[in-house]
Amino acid sequence: MESLRPEDLAAVLLSLKVAAAATIASAPVALLTALAQARGRYGVRVALDALVTLPLVLPPVATGYVLLLLFGRRGPLGALLEKAGIVFAFDWTGAALAAAIMAFPLMVRPMRLAIEAIDREVVEAALTLGAPPLMRFIRVTLPLAAPGVAAGAILGFAKALGEFGATITFVAAIPGETLTLPSAIYAAVQSPGGEARAAALCLVAATLAVAAVLVSDAVGRLAVRAARGRAD
């Protein structure tokens, strides 16, 4: 199998950087959204379900185009942020933004299911003891939902790592700047005689995906043990 070129290794490292930034930035928001879905009123839950599901049902290219309209240099948000020195369009930060939005639904769902699985009586007991909402969340809800939170974060990381459609539409595929691993695979496929190179990149992508699944399983098991230890 053909060895990877320096630009391919740069694309792999950039993908890891983008996926990590997307996960770190969106995980707290995903957790709060999951909490609102699990504990909020019916109207709030319905509205959040629709918003969270939107990136899954829209074509990724459409999501990327909307991001370009909003966060492009001439877009309403992009022009405002550029004055503050924050640029998303055609920059790796834009790739992280696109990846975070596409991965967000996959992060929220396991977190919400984990929160919904918590026995209400446990939370009510903490309320009876006079614990304020923030303390109940930190000391009760978060430890018990930790397996779902960990699974959601790592699943989101894996999704962000493989995001292509929204990313290439929003930030293109500039070598050294926005050329991520999926974009590099696409470029290799489109190049004459690039089949071997594409296969090598696919192997790297598969290895990273399997590693993310294994890490998710290990972290989930550790979180379950930690939660049981606290319960005992």
Side-chain angles (χ1 to χ4, degrees):
M1 183 172 292
E2 181 176 330
S3 59
L4 297 179
R5 303 175 182 178
E7 57 267 29
D8 296 331
L9 296 176
V12 172
L13 294 177
L14 180 61
S15 290
L16 292 171
K17 178 181 177 181
V18 166
T23 304
I24 292 171
S26 58
V29 181
L31 180 57
L32 293 177
T33 303
L35 183 64
Q37 284 184 312
R39 300 284 188 256
R41 296 180 179 180
Y42 176 77
V44 174
R45 295 201 306 269
V46 171
L48 286 176
D49 282 340
L51 288 175
V52 169
T53 308
L54 199 58
L56 287 179
V57 297
L58 278 177
V61 174
T63 302
Y65 183 63
V66 170
L67 289 175
L68 187 59
L69 291 178
L70 292 176
F71 291 95
R73 294 182 182 273
R74 297 184 180 180
L77 297 178
L80 185 63
L81 290 172
E82 188 175 7
K83 295 179 181 179
I86 302 173
V87 177
F88 285 109
F90 305 107
D91 192 87
W92 79 268
T93 54
L97 176 62
I101 291 175
M102 296 303 297
F104 192 75
L106 299 180
M107 299 179 68
V108 171
R109 180 171 175 77
M111 295 181 184
R112 176 175 63 84
L113 292 176
I115 294 173
E116 289 177 344
I118 298 174
D119 192 342
R120 287 273 186 162
E121 294 182 357
V122 176
V123 180
E124 291 174 358
L127 177 62
T128 303
L129 294 173
L134 181 60
M135 184 63 68
R136 295 198 302 272
F137 175 75
I138 295 175
R139 299 294 297 275
V140 179
T141 302
L142 189 57
L144 293 176
V149 174
I154 297 176
L155 185 61
F157 177 85
K159 171 60 179 175
L161 194 64
E163 170 52 34
F164 173 69
T167 301
I168 199 170
T169 304
F170 183 33
V171 298
I174 306 171
E177 295 290 338
T178 62
L179 182 65
T180 58
L181 177 57
S183 300
I185 295 174
Y186 179 77
V189 171
Q190 298 300 312
S191 302
E195 293 82 3
R197 180 180 166 216
L201 289 170
C202 287
L203 181 59
V204 172
T207 302
L208 292 174
V210 171
V213 172
L214 294 177
V215 170
S216 176
D217 182 69
V219 171
R221 292 176 184 274
L222 290 175
V224 169
R225 291 178 183 174
R228 288 177 178 174
R230 293 188 180 186
D232 295 338

